[in-house]
Amino acid sequence: MSIWGHLFLSGEFRAREDLLSGLTLKQVTLRPTGASHSIYEELWHAATIQRCVVEQDKKLEAVLRGGTRYPNAVPEHEQQWHDLVQEFLEGARAAIALAQEPGRLAVEVEPGLTMAEELNCLAVHNAYHLGKVVALRQRIGAWPPKEATEES
């Protein structure tokens, strides 16, 4: 696996698909006392930022800068959670694919910022929010994922 696959899907801590598995709608929408966001909100934010970077979506970026950095509503059906997980994982795979194009990595996406640098920042951003997801899972007693036998 490439360094990009390591950064976005499998390395340094539990594989992202596993980390996000085995959760119910009740668990992902729960906001424990003192927590700033729920698991759903953390992943929604990470997936949305990831989409901005990978798709270079300036309109969505402007909306986020305007204050909509987390969802305004909780999901009503568990499928919405599963769809969000898939969106996040597909976005991570798209980031990896983008990184396989050396010419694209060198492109300046903003003055003084290349796509390679932007992807590195995104990997750090994702790790931060996934760490918060793990901490929330630990707080609500949903860690490690049931199908996993070893802790990270």
Side-chain angles (χ1 to χ4, degrees):
M1 170 145 309
S2 72
I3 186 63
W4 297 104
H6 181 83
L7 288 171
F8 281 98
L9 287 175
S10 64
E12 299 310 315
F13 52 95
R14 191 178 292 272
R16 307 330 171 250
E17 187 169 7
D18 183 42
L19 186 152
L20 297 167
S21 69
L23 290 164
T24 65
L25 181 62
K26 183 178 178 179
Q27 290 171 319
V28 301
T29 56
L30 180 64
R31 186 184 299 177
T33 303
S36 55
H37 298 100
S38 68
I39 290 170
Y40 178 83
E41 291 167 334
E42 291 293 344
L43 188 65
W44 184 94
H45 172 79
T48 302
I49 296 296
Q50 183 170 258
R51 189 170 63 245
C52 282
V53 171
V54 171
E55 297 176 9
Q56 289 294 286
D57 188 332
K58 299 301 181 192
K59 287 182 184 177
L60 181 56
E61 190 177 312
V63 168
L64 293 172
R65 285 189 179 146
T68 308
R69 298 189 67 80
Y70 289 88
N72 296 324
V74 297
E76 296 177 11
H77 306 285
E78 196 160 316
Q79 188 59 47
Q80 291 171 276
W81 164 250
H82 296 297
D83 291 346
L84 180 61
V85 169
Q86 286 312 304
E87 176 188 333
F88 177 80
L89 295 172
E90 288 169 13
R93 287 189 281 274
I96 294 165
L98 182 61
Q100 303 308 308
E101 302 175 38
R104 293 283 310 264
L105 290 176
V107 170
E108 207 172 71
V109 293
E110 291 182 22
L113 182 69
T114 66
M115 179 54 83
E117 293 164 332
E118 182 99 302
L119 288 175
N120 276 301
C121 291
L122 178 61
V124 171
H125 182 265
N126 284 357
Y128 171 79
H129 287 284
L130 291 171
K132 290 179 79 174
V133 167
V134 171
L136 286 164
R137 287 188 73 149
Q138 290 168 335
R139 285 184 69 183
I140 66 171
W143 187 258
K146 288 181 182 168
E147 55 276 356
T149 57
E150 66 180 59
E151 281 194 52
S152 292

